[in-house]
Amino acid sequence: MTGTLRDAPVTQGGSGESPADYEAVIGLEVHAQLLTRSKMFCGCPATYVDAEPNDNTCPVCLGLPGTLPVINRRAVEYTVRTALALHCEIPDFTKFDRKNYFYPDLPKGYQISQYDLPLSRDGHLEFSLDGRRVRCGITRVHLEEDTGTLHHAGDVLQSATSSLVDYNRSGVPLMEIVGEPDLRSAEEAREYLVRLRQILMYIGVNDGNLEQGSFRCDANVSVRPRGTETLGVKVEIKNMNSFRAVQRAVEYEIARQIAVLGGGGSLHQETRGWVEARGATVSQRSKEQAHDYRYFPEPDLAPLVLGAEFVEEVRRALPELPEARAARLVEQHGIGEYEAALLTATREEADSYERIVAAGVSARLAANWLGNEVMRLANAEHRPLTESGLGEDGLVALLRLVEAGTVNTTTAKALLEELYLTGGDPAAIVRDRGLGQVSDTEALGALVDAAITANPKAVADFQAGKETALQPVVGHVMKATRGRADARLVNRLLRERLSG
Ligand code: ADP
Ligand code: ZN
Ligand code: MG
C-alpha cells in the first residue's frame, strides 16, 4: 500500500570524515488537537484532561457496531484556518480514509484519517533565526481523530501487571501538519515548532500544551555528505514532550548517525524513542516491522466539497499573525524589534499591550513595563496581567502616575508588585500612604547636603574620579525619603554641589 521500501539499508561515508562533512536534514510531523467543543465524529465533549475515565464516550467514539460518524464542521473550519495561516492551497475536493491497525487504544480497529486527498497542501512557514530567514515547506495539513489512552499499572516488565484504557480522548479532532525535510539543524527544528505552536494558539485552534500532548511532534532526521542532494536514510524520533527534548533528541540523533556513517557503518530506516533520563534515542521498531495500514476511502462519510465561499470566509476571519503584528508594532509605535517580538509572544499579551496604549499610556513606557516588570511577575505568579489583582486598568492607572511624575520608578515597581497580588487603586494608595515623589528642590537639597556630610569617604572617591562612588550617597537620600525622591533630581543636585 505505501509502495516499495525506497529507504532500504545503504552504506554511506567512510572513515576519515569529520562531522563538518555532513549536513543534517530534518522534517517534522506535528499532531495538534483542535479546540472544538465536541469530538470529531460524535457529540461527546472534546475536553478530557479533568474528566473521569471513560466519562466522555458514546457508541460512536467507543467504536461500537452499527454507529455512523458525522463530520464536525468546526474541526474542518479550524483545519482550513490553520492551512491558510500556513499559506497552503485548499483543494476543492477532499475525503476521509480508513487507516487500519490494531491496538487497544483504537476501538474501531481503524482511525479515520486522510490519505491521498488531504484538506490542504503545499504551504510554508517562514521565520527568523540568528538573523537569517528560514523557510520550511508544509507538505500538507490534514484532519483525523485521536486515539484513547492506555494506563499501565505497575512495571510492565514484571508479570503482575494490568493495563487500563480510557476512551475519553478517542475521537478528539486531531490535525496533522507534515513539514518538508527543509530544516538543517536542531535549533531550526526547535524554532519551527515554537513558531508553529505560536501561530496555532494565535488563531485559536490549539492550546499548545506539549506536556499534556495536545501539541506533539515526531522528528524525522537524516544526514548526508555536505554538498550532496540525495536524502539520507531517515530515522523517526518519538516521545518528546518539550521543546528542549526535541532539540536534544535531534542533536543526539544527528551526532549518532554521523558517528555510525563516519565509522563505516550503515543506517536503516527505523523509529526511535527519546529517553529523557538517558539523554538518548533508543530503537523501537524498524521499517521492516512497520505497519501496512491498508488505507481505503471511509465508506461511512461522503467526500467533502468545501466551496470557495467557505474558504474565503475562513480567510477573511484570520487574525493578524504574530510576525506581522510585531512588525506593525515596530512601525506604529517605534519600539524595538526584540521588544515587539516579546510583546507579541501570545495574542493575549499583544492585545493587552495595544489596549493599554489605546488607553493613552505612552507606547514606549507601556512596552518597557510589560516587557520587563509585568512579564517577570506574570511568570513568577503563574497568571497573566489580566488575571492579576491589578488588571489592565490598574496598570494604566499606575503608569499614568509614573508619566505624571507623581511617583518615581522605585515606588511604582514596589506598588506594581504589591497590587499585582492584592489589587487596589494606585492613585488612592499613593495619596493615603504619602508615596508621592519628592521633587521639591529645597527639601531634597537639604537631604543631599546631609547625605554628603554623612558619606565623606564616598564623596572623596567620587571626586577622585570614581563614578560609582556616588551610589551610596544617592541611596542615603532615597532612604531618607522612603524611596520617594526624584532620583534624577537628586543626582543633579549632588553633582552640582560636588563639582562646585
Ligand atoms: P513516510 O512515508 O515514512 O511517512 P514521508 O515521506 O511521508 O515518509 O515523510 C514523513 C516526514 O518525514 C515528513 O515530515 C518529511 O519531511 C520527513 N522526511 C522524509 N524523508 C526524510 C529524510 N530523508 N530526512 C529527514 N526527514 C525526512
Ligand atoms: Zn462519542
Ligand atoms: Mg508519510
Side-chain angles (χ1 to χ4, degrees):
M1 182 74 249
T2 46
T4 53
L5 290 179
R6 58 191 157 76
D7 291 329
V10 294
T11 307
Q12 288 176 340
S15 49
E17 290 167 331
S18 82
D21 297 329
Y22 290 94
E23 174 180 60
V25 174
I26 303 139
L28 302 177
E29 295 167 287
V30 167
H31 282 95
Q33 282 169 3
L34 294 172
L35 288 172
T36 55
R37 268 189 308 189
S38 57
K39 289 188 180 180
M40 187 61 227
F41 299 113
C42 63
C44 292
T47 53
Y48 56 90
V49 172
D50 294 324
E52 287 297 310
N54 295 305
D55 254 10
N56 297 343
T57 56
C58 73
V60 172
C61 56
L62 286 173
L64 300 185
T67 57
L68 288 173
V70 178
I71 298 170
N72 182 330
R73 186 191 164 90
R74 188 49 59 85
V76 173
E77 182 191 327
Y78 282 3
T79 306
V80 170
R81 193 188 288 178
T82 304
L84 291 174
L86 297 173
H87 311 283
C88 291
E89 287 164 24
I90 318 287
D92 293 333
F93 186 90
T94 179
K95 70 174 171 72
F96 288 93
D97 301 275
R98 283 191 186 180
K99 179 179 180 178
N100 300 279
Y101 66 94
F102 295 94
Y103 204 64
D105 63 7
L106 189 70
K108 294 195 296 288
Y110 59 86
Q111 177 192 34
I112 303 180
S113 180
Q114 298 199 279
Y115 184 54
D116 54 342
L117 294 172
L119 263 164
S120 69
R121 52 173 94 231
D122 294 335
H124 64 265
L125 174 58
E126 218 180 283
F127 54 89
S128 292
L129 180 64
D130 301 331
R132 294 174 295 122
R133 290 298 280 175
V134 177
R135 184 185 170 116
C136 183
I138 303 288
T139 316
R140 57 193 276 163
V141 181
H142 76 239
L143 188 50
E144 58 191 33
E145 56 178 336
D146 212 341
T147 62
T149 46
L150 291 172
H151 300 268
H152 304 290
D155 186 349
V156 200
L157 297 176
Q158 284 164 13
S159 52
T161 178
S162 67
S163 290
L164 302 168
V165 61
D166 177 4
Y167 289 116
N168 283 342
R169 204 183 70 174
S170 171
V172 167
L174 193 64
M175 186 167 63
E176 179 168 351
I177 302 161
V178 182
E180 289 286 301
D182 291 344
L183 304 167
R184 296 290 173 263
S185 68
E187 293 74 31
E188 285 188 7
R190 180 202 172 104
E191 194 61 19
Y192 169 92
L193 285 180
V194 168
R195 299 306 180 119
L196 179 58
R197 174 176 175 271
Q198 184 187 32
I199 290 172
L200 299 191
M201 291 173 74
Y202 251 76
I203 63 176
V205 302
N206 177 256
D207 68 9
N209 195 326
L210 276 80
E211 222 166 294
Q212 281 171 2
S214 54
F215 179 99
R216 45 192 198 258
C217 152
D218 298 335
N220 299 275
V221 179
S222 66
V223 297
R224 64 185 171 194
R226 205 168 280 284
T228 63
E229 286 294 317
T230 318
L231 290 175
V233 174
K234 80 167 198 267
V235 165
E236 182 188 43
I237 315 171
K238 292 183 175 291
N239 296 342
M240 301 158 294
N241 57 8
S242 68
F243 290 123
R244 188 177 134 76
V246 171
Q247 183 166 348
R248 286 179 70 206
V250 171
E251 262 163 19
Y252 175 90
E253 188 56 27
I254 293 170
R256 189 190 69 83
Q257 292 184 13
I258 291 174
V260 169
L261 297 182
S266 66
L267 295 162
H268 62 278
Q269 194 170 330
E270 64 178 338
T271 298
R272 298 175 72 89
W274 171 247
V275 183
E276 186 75 44
R278 285 171 54 184
T281 64
V282 172
S283 186
Q284 290 184 330
R285 61 165 195 254
S286 70
K287 185 75 181 183
E288 284 77 358
Q289 306 161 268
H291 304 280
D292 176 355
Y293 294 120
R294 291 170 295 125
Y295 280 99
F296 64 86
E298 169 58 60
D300 290 339
L301 291 172
L304 270 182
V305 179
L306 296 180
E309 208 172 302
F310 173 79
V311 175
E312 283 319 302
E313 206 175 292
V314 177
R315 195 192 303 274
R316 270 197 303 275
L318 262 187
E320 189 177 25
L321 297 179
E323 270 210 334
R325 193 162 190 182
R328 179 172 61 75
L329 291 186
V330 168
E331 174 80 5
Q332 197 172 328
H333 298 309
I335 61 175
E337 273 176 31
Y338 174 78
E339 232 173 1
L342 211 58
L343 293 170
T344 52
T346 67
R347 191 174 170 183
E348 292 71 23
E349 285 164 297
D351 287 347
S352 237
Y353 173 66
E354 295 215 84
R355 275 193 298 264
I356 287 165
V357 173
V361 175
S362 126
R364 279 161 180 266
L365 185 76
N368 198 317
W369 280 73
L370 282 173
N372 292 292
E373 298 301 310
V374 175
M375 209 165 273
R376 187 180 57 73
L377 277 170
N379 288 335
E381 301 296 330
H382 301 290
R383 53 177 168 159
L385 172 66
T386 44
E387 284 162 35
S388 70
L390 189 63
E392 279 171 18
D393 292 345
L395 183 64
V396 168
L398 182 62
L399 294 183
R400 285 228 173 93
L401 297 177
V402 174
E403 279 184 320
T406 311
V407 293
N408 66 13
T409 310
T410 313
T411 307
K413 281 183 184 169
L415 271 179
L416 174 73
E417 195 148 343
E418 177 186 336
L419 300 186
Y420 204 89
L421 303 176
T422 61
D425 174 9
I429 292 175
V430 167
R431 203 173 45 238
D432 295 349
R433 295 193 205 156
L435 296 177
Q437 175 161 261
V438 181
S439 37
D440 173 43
T441 313
E442 227 165 283
L444 281 184
L447 293 172
V448 163
D449 289 335
I452 289 172
T453 315
N455 293 277
K457 167 109 173 58
V459 167
D461 287 348
F462 174 74
Q463 281 170 328
K466 194 176 163 203
E467 264 295 311
T468 54
L470 215 51
Q471 277 166 11
V473 191
V474 174
H476 192 101
V477 178
M478 279 296 171
K479 206 169 163 197
T481 58
R482 285 185 297 131
R484 296 174 304 141
D486 177 340
R488 246 198 264 161
L489 184 55
V490 170
N491 258 290
R492 207 191 76 208
L493 293 173
L494 255 177
R495 278 164 205 278
E496 274 172 15
R497 280 163 169 71
L498 297 180
S499 65

